[in-house]
Amino acid sequence: MSQELMNRITKMLGPEVTTFDKRIEELTLSENIVRTIILLRLSEGRTTYIRDLTPITQVIGGNLLAIMKRLSQQDLIHWDQQEGKITVAYPFSGVPTSYRVALSGKPFTYAMCAIDVLGIAPMMKKDIEIETQCAMCGRSLHISIRNQQPVSTPTTVGVGIQIPSKDRDCCSSLSASAVFCPGIQFYCSHEHWEQNKPKDGGKWLELPEAFEVARYVFGETV
């Protein structure tokens, strides 16, 4: 990705969006194994609860609850505190969203936002199929990523990024999925983004640009 594009993304969303790999590097081996197992399960469309991970920690050692708390502190994994169901494991969502994705013939699973769903292909090093909708008109959109090249139907699909309106300081305790994901959406055309973007602005990325951002954030992180 060009430095110019990286500077644009950093200015829009802050440096935290570019530190995904750094957060992973700070994990212990056991913590990263648990994170990877969760990602693999969600990539296959498997609903995952914390209790499902107990056999893993029995093999690799470590306290499961302590590992999960660490993954949450790093804003990598989150779960429903009542059910213990994994809800967020970037870039995957453990609950249904408007970003449906299938890896190489696997059942459909879900992602957190437009950049996240594009990032699944470079992260998993797989071809993927994405089904979603235009955030403006609701038109069905299809995106294929094969050999790490995105192709969309219609061909005018891009990503609109709305800058969070809340002050960053007040949102520091929230996950990226809560702060940023609601404003990172697909549009069927630049015209529909222009009609839908907030008055205080935002940024439009053509699909190849958005994919480069996703590859930068999520590539080589599994």
Side-chain angles (χ1 to χ4, degrees):
M1 177 169 52
S2 70
Q3 188 60 48
E4 180 184 357
L5 180 55
M6 194 66 257
N7 290 341
R8 287 168 59 194
I9 296 302
T10 301
K11 185 176 180 180
M12 277 188 279
L13 301 181
E16 59 267 32
V17 77
T18 67
T19 60
F20 187 77
D21 58 338
K22 302 298 188 298
R23 285 179 273 147
I24 294 170
E25 289 174 1
E26 294 174 359
L27 300 177
T28 66
L29 178 59
S30 294
E31 291 165 351
N32 200 35
I33 288 174
V34 171
R35 181 189 74 93
T36 301
I37 294 298
I38 292 171
L39 291 174
L40 292 174
R41 288 177 63 93
L42 293 184
S43 74
E44 296 176 345
R46 299 169 65 185
T47 300
T48 300
Y49 294 84
I50 291 179
R51 62 177 179 268
D52 297 327
L53 307 170
T54 301
I56 300 168
T57 51
Q58 290 175 342
V59 173
I60 65 175
N63 180 280
L64 178 57
L65 184 57
I67 289 173
M68 294 303 296
K69 286 182 177 179
R70 173 63 172 161
L71 293 173
S72 177
Q73 289 169 354
Q74 292 292 90
D75 193 15
L76 295 168
I77 306 289
H78 299 288
W79 62 93
D80 182 286
Q81 297 295 322
Q82 299 298 318
E83 293 185 298
K85 180 180 179 180
I86 303 298
T87 54
V88 178
Y90 301 107
F92 292 98
S93 172
V95 296
T97 69
S98 60
Y99 307 97
R100 301 176 71 226
V101 56
L103 288 80
S104 302
K106 299 289 185 181
F108 271 100
T109 185
Y110 300 93
M112 298 303 303
C113 70
I115 293 296
D116 284 12
V117 75
L118 293 172
I120 290 173
M123 171 184 267
M124 306 302 291
K125 302 177 183 64
K126 299 285 187 180
D127 294 343
I128 66 172
E129 302 292 330
I130 300 167
E131 291 183 0
T132 187
Q133 298 85 39
C134 173
M136 171 62 185
C137 68
R139 178 179 178 179
S140 294
L141 310 176
H142 183 85
I143 301 166
S144 295
I145 301 179
R146 298 180 181 177
N147 298 317
Q148 301 303 305
Q149 296 293 324
V151 177
S152 66
T153 304
T155 59
T156 52
V157 170
V159 173
I161 300 179
Q162 299 183 27
I163 301 169
S165 58
K166 294 182 179 180
D167 183 88
R168 286 257 170 75
D169 292 337
C170 80
C171 304
S172 60
S173 63
L174 298 178
S175 68
S177 62
V179 177
F180 299 118
C181 283
I184 305 177
Q185 301 172 301
F186 286 109
Y187 290 82
C188 65
S189 66
H190 184 256
E191 289 75 17
H192 276 194
W193 158 249
E194 287 293 327
Q195 294 176 41
N196 202 53
K197 71 179 183 181
K199 293 181 180 179
D200 56 356
K203 295 294 181 180
W204 168 260
L205 297 177
E206 299 291 343
L207 186 59
E209 287 184 309
F211 181 68
E212 284 304 307
V213 172
R215 175 154 47 192
Y216 179 90
V217 175
F218 293 108
E220 308 298 329
T221 56
V222 168

